[in-house]
Amino acid sequence: MARVLCVGILVADLIGRPIENFPEKGKLLLVDEMSLHVGGCAHNTGVDLHKLGEEVQIIGKVGRDGLGEFIINSLRRRGMDTSGILFTDQANTSATMVLLDSSGERTFLHYPGANRTLRSQDISDEMLAASQLVHVAGSFLMPGFDGEETALLLKRAKALGKTTSLDTAWDDTGSWFSLLEPVVPHLDILISNYDEASRISGKEELPDIGAFFLKFGIQVVAIKMGPQGSFIMTPQDKVLVPPFTVEAVDGTGAGDAFAAGFIFGYLRGWDWYQVGRFANACGAMCVQMMGATEGVGSFEEVAEFIRSNSAYLGGEVN
């Protein structure tokens, strides 16, 4: 069985670029590129971990439709285990229209679809027992799983002695911490971007955001800041890790790539600066290509990317 269970959303992404404005109603706008990709936080993080060389299984739900088959077949072509992906008759496969401007900035139109139907009971105790780390990818985008159902899953994982982690997404409902509150007592690792973490915590300064989450017993908080790098905080350490400078083509999946790099480094016991540097590198590689997972390479390729940026510096903040 897989060392990492990556539980969460599976999405078909239709990506178009460049889109600087919208046509008038009833009119048409030509774009230079449009392509269909598999995405969703669980897929992206799981695939990136697999490319890095980690043993991973993706857990989620798709509809009985062409997009569901597209997702399953894409993973099988990568040689990944799809036995944890279930079909549902209750909804169609989740899909997102990703609108990219010329700078790579993204705007999304998202249909939750089958991701609404995921429940804790869909993940067996056998799967949990055989894993080392259980990662929930895409919290706030699974209306049937967020909150109490996520807490149930992580509580089961903790009872079996597993490490638990969670990566947030944007909460369009505005619930924020009220939805995450039952989850945090069962969480070891929280990964979030700055905007989401600030909304959840009600704080603005990085150390204050980190301290808010650590008080619930979370062991490590990782804040993604895109072009500003990342911030990692534990009860003992505060580490600000600067970014890699790259030309962004498509930011889709960059946060999930960071999560994959972070988990990969964490499982190998690296120090926090090394973990953050590797995670930042995965995110930077991701944005240089169209699609959510195309840019991240193998462990050796990420290591070479880091070596080629030999002036890369970082350290602790007070």
Side-chain angles (χ1 to χ4, degrees), residues 1-2 4-7 57-61 81 83-86 118-134 145 149 152-158 160 162:
M1 293 292 288
V4 178
L5 289 187
C6 200
V7 181
Q57 183 174 25
I58 297 172
I59 311 292
K61 282 190 170 182
D81 180 1
S83 62
I85 301 176
L86 305 177
L118 185 66
R119 299 292 185 273
S120 173
Q121 65 191 29
D122 293 321
I123 300 96
S124 69
D125 285 341
E126 288 75 18
M127 286 182 176
L128 294 175
S131 67
Q132 181 176 340
L133 184 147
V134 178
F145 185 68
E149 285 290 320
L152 284 173
L153 175 68
L154 298 185
K155 184 178 181 180
R156 290 167 53 206
K158 292 293 292 179
L160 292 168
K162 309 306 174 183

Side-chain angles (χ1 to χ4, degrees), residues 71-84:
I71 289 172
I72 295 287
N73 291 335
S74 174
L75 289 169
R76 286 174 176 165
R77 284 195 297 271
R78 295 180 183 274
M80 298 187 68
D81 180 1
T82 61
S83 62

Side-chain angles (χ1 to χ4, degrees), residues 24 40 80 96 105 113 144 207 213 217 224 226 286:
E24 297 177 18
M80 298 187 68
T96 300
E105 184 59 56
F213 292 110
K224 301 172 284 188
C286 177

